[in-house]
């Protein structure tokens, strides 16, 4: 099984913007790639002029007063994936916190890191003395019956065999993030106001570029590589490669707003 790799545009964010921006990106991808039927839940960002969609959970329904009819639909349509989606929000938040702790210094007031969101299929195999016999349990969703069908392919094994877990990754999303800890101007004079707006516009422009890239890749990239099974995901962080640092300058220039003329 070939793994499809998507490299997203770089993000440069202030420390206080990182959590919300990464939640926006990760939840959007997870919603689009969610197996089976899910109920959408729209979230308005506090720090950006953006709205994104994530998978509705029981807490979302109770906090935002989803109607009883919709709540019934949630229970009926997502019963087969409830266990998978119950920890999505926690896994995303934990991954973001781990990412923030793993950032590496790349310059004065600048830190960077990479997030990798992987989708994979889990299979079991049994092995004995170098002889391998596979037992694959692939859970298939039937759109007609809306039931889970478990398909087993088993080959007889002698005693004392051991079962191994095999992971087949079929898609990865890679995002590089630069965190800028430069203090923002806090005064109310015109220069400080303009600078704060420039920083906000730059970050929001980069986030919009990432979201646009996600929509382009998922709309035009095809789904032939997506397996017709209940699959899983993981989010991990890694150190940036040296060549990534050279791309930072180009990303900043490309996303920088037009300079404002204060006067002659």
């Amino acid at each position: 099984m070939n793994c499809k790799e998507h490299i997203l545009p770089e993000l440069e964010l202030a420390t206080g913007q990182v959590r919300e921006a990464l939640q926006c990106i990760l939840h959007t991808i997870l919603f689009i790639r969610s197996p089976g039927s899910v109920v959408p839940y729209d979230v308005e960002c506090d720090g950006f002029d953006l709205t994104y969609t994530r998978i509705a959970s029981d807490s979302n329904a109770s906090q935002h007063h989803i109607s009883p009819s919709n709540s019934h639909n949630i229970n009926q349509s997502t019963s087969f994936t409830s266990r998978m989606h119950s920890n999505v929000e926690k896994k995303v938040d934990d991954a973001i916190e781990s990412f923030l702790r793993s950032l590496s210094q790349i310059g004065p007031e600048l830190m960077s890191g990479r997030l990798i969101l992987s989708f994979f299929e889990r299979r079991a195999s049994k092995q004995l003395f170098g002889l391998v016999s596979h037992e694959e349990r692939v859970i298939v969703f039937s759109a007609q019956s809306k039931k889970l069908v478990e398909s087993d392919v088993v080959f007889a094994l002698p005693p004392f065999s051991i079962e191994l877990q095999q992971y087949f990754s079929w898609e990865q999303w890679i995002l590089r993030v630069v965190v800028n800890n430069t203090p923002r101007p806090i005064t109310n004079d015109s220069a400080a106001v303009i600078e704060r707006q420039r920083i906000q516009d730059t970050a929001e422009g980069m986030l919009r570029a990432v979201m646009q890239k996600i929509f382009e890749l998922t709309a035009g990239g095809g789904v032939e590589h997506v397996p017709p099974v209940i699959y899983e995901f993981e989010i991990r962080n890694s150190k940036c490669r040296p060549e990534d640092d050279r791309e930072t300058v180009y990303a900043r220039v490309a996303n920088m707003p037009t300079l404002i003329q204060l006067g002659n």
Side-chain angles (χ1 to χ4, degrees), residues 106-175:
I106 62 170
E109 307 294 343
L110 292 176
M111 306 185 76
S112 72
R114 286 199 308 169
L115 265 182
I116 302 175
L117 169 59
S118 301
F119 293 97
F120 63 92
E121 176 187 352
R122 189 198 301 265
R123 297 177 184 176
S125 66
K126 291 185 177 180
Q127 191 171 31
L128 177 69
F129 303 123
L131 301 176
V132 179
S133 180
H134 293 284
E135 179 183 9
E136 297 180 351
R137 292 186 175 90
V138 183
I139 302 176
V140 183
F141 174 70
S142 172
Q144 289 78 15
S145 61
K146 293 187 177 180
K147 293 181 179 179
L148 294 177
V149 180
E150 185 171 346
S151 175
D152 291 343
V153 181
V154 182
F155 296 90
L157 286 174
F160 312 113
S161 63
I162 59 173
E163 184 173 284
L164 303 176
Q165 290 290 336
Q166 292 183 323
Y167 299 86
F168 297 88
S169 181
W170 49 269
E171 187 174 76
Q172 285 189 339
W173 296 80
I174 301 172
L175 173 66

Side-chain angles (χ1 to χ4, degrees), residues 42-230:
D42 293 336
V43 179
E44 293 184 5
C45 295
D46 293 327
F48 303 98
D49 186 20
L50 285 171
T51 300
Y52 67 94
T53 303
R54 65 166 67 179
I55 300 168
S57 64
D58 293 339
S59 60
N60 299 147
S62 60
Q63 291 175 12
H64 296 269
H65 309 292
I66 294 177
S67 65
S69 60
N70 286 338
S71 296
H72 176 73
N73 290 335
I74 293 176
N75 295 331
Q76 294 296 319
S77 63
T78 63
S79 59
F80 70 98
T81 52
S82 58
R83 287 194 301 272
M84 176 184 172
H85 296 318
S86 60
N87 292 325
V88 168
E89 190 166 349
K90 183 178 186 304
K91 287 182 70 173
V92 168
D93 291 342
D94 289 348
I96 293 174
E97 294 304 318
S98 175
F99 169 76
L100 291 173
R101 292 192 298 268
S102 70
L103 293 172
S104 57
Q105 194 84 28
I106 62 170
E109 307 294 343
L110 292 176
M111 306 185 76
S112 72
R114 286 199 308 169
L115 265 182
I116 302 175
L117 169 59
S118 301
F119 293 97
F120 63 92
E121 176 187 352
R122 189 198 301 265
R123 297 177 184 176
S125 66
K126 291 185 177 180
Q127 191 171 31
L128 177 69
F129 303 123
L131 301 176
V132 179
S133 180
H134 293 284
E135 179 183 9
E136 297 180 351
R137 292 186 175 90
V138 183
I139 302 176
V140 183
F141 174 70
S142 172
Q144 289 78 15
S145 61
K146 293 187 177 180
K147 293 181 179 179
L148 294 177
V149 180
E150 185 171 346
S151 175
D152 291 343
V153 181
V154 182
F155 296 90
L157 286 174
F160 312 113
S161 63
I162 59 173
E163 184 173 284
L164 303 176
Q165 290 290 336
Q166 292 183 323
Y167 299 86
F168 297 88
S169 181
W170 49 269
E171 187 174 76
Q172 285 189 339
W173 296 80
I174 301 172
L175 173 66
R176 182 173 189 262
V177 181
V178 174
V179 180
N180 193 333
N181 294 316
T182 303
R184 292 190 178 192
I186 58 175
T187 59
N188 291 324
D189 59 276
S190 60
V193 171
I194 291 173
E195 177 61 13
R196 286 198 299 270
Q197 189 61 48
R198 185 194 68 81
I199 295 172
Q200 177 66 27
D201 291 344
T202 300
E204 191 165 306
M206 286 186 162
L207 179 55
R208 288 182 181 275
V210 172
M211 297 294 284
Q212 182 65 34
K213 188 66 173 180
I214 293 171
F215 298 142
E216 290 175 358
L217 290 171
T218 52
V223 293
E224 295 82 6
H225 64 292
V226 180
V229 298
I230 299 300

